[in-house]
Structure formats: C-alpha cells, structure tokens
Amino acid sequence: MTQHRAYRMSVAKVHAALVAKAERKGRTRAEVDQIIGWLTGYDHEGLAAQLANNTDYETFFAQAPALNPARADIRGAVCGVRVEEIAEPVMREIRYLDKLIDELAKGKAMDKILNRQPAKV
C-alpha cells in the first residue's frame, strides 16, 4: 500500500500553518499548542523538540506520549470527509487535529473544544 504524502510532511511546517490560520482569526499559538497537547500528550518541551527535529506527521503521532482517548468523540467533516469515518489510523489522527483547529479558528471556546462529549447515538 502506498503511504500518503501527508504522513511525510514536517510537523514544524504544518504547525506554522495551523498557527497562522488561528492567528488570522484572532486566536493564539498557545491555544494551538494546548490543542495539540490535549490530543497527543506532548508538553511544551516535547512539542518543541518534535518541531525542532522536523519530525514527520507519522512519527509525530507514533511517538505521541498519550493520545487522548476522548479524541474518538471528535465528529464532523474536514475537507468534505467525516473524521469519524476515516479508517486509516494516521490519517484519522491528522484529521482530528485539523478538525480541532478548524473549531478554534471558527471562534469556538477552548473549553468546548477540549471537553468532548460522546456522540449521541
């Protein structure tokens, strides 16, 4: 199976784009980093090390200290694809992050973003 090119993308470059997106909407780098920490378990130093090492996305998620189990409750579409329907694990992690940053950029409060509620069935 061919590896998706997004897996080889540098987290540092993606991080810069995520921060720029958030800042254009009046949000901060600290909020982006808080979301990343919530999702992956990276603390400030751990995230800084991954960014400095130009770690790729696949490695970034594989080395994540503590993927948040509540991330499975993230629902919605990113680029027309429902995140809860993505079967490939690394791509699903990438889209979880994208979805959370989209919510931040749309003005959603941090407590609403980080306090996920299980989906109603």
Side-chain angles (χ1 to χ4, degrees):
M1 184 166 80
T2 308
Q3 185 184 50
H4 196 283
R5 68 185 183 111
Y7 300 175
R8 295 183 308 275
M9 291 172 56
S10 163
V11 173
K13 288 183 181 179
V14 174
H15 182 265
L18 296 175
V19 169
K21 178 179 184 174
E23 289 177 341
R24 279 193 308 272
K25 299 295 184 168
R27 304 310 286 258
T28 67
R29 177 189 173 131
E31 289 173 312
V32 171
D33 291 351
Q34 184 179 358
I35 287 171
I36 293 170
W38 178 89
L39 183 66
T40 63
Y42 284 108
D43 60 14
H44 178 74
E45 293 79 21
L47 177 58
Q50 293 292 337
L51 297 175
N53 291 336
N54 273 327
T55 303
D56 63 54
Y57 244 158
E58 186 172 31
T59 304
F60 178 76
F61 285 110
Q63 294 178 351
L67 291 171
N68 192 323
R71 74 194 189 288
D73 296 327
I74 299 170
R75 302 280 186 263
V78 175
C79 300
V81 178
R82 300 211 50 89
V83 295
E84 64 271 21
E85 295 174 0
I86 298 171
E88 206 294 306
V90 176
M91 184 57 71
R92 190 172 48 244
E93 300 301 337
I94 291 169
R95 295 302 185 184
Y96 283 155
L97 179 56
D98 289 344
K99 180 65 178 162
L100 296 176
I101 299 302
D102 282 353
E103 291 177 0
L104 179 70
K106 289 179 181 174
K108 196 169 189 179
M110 285 296 287
D111 64 327
K112 300 283 186 192
I113 295 170
L114 302 181
N115 294 320
R116 305 312 288 192
Q117 298 299 319
K120 295 188 175 27
V121 179

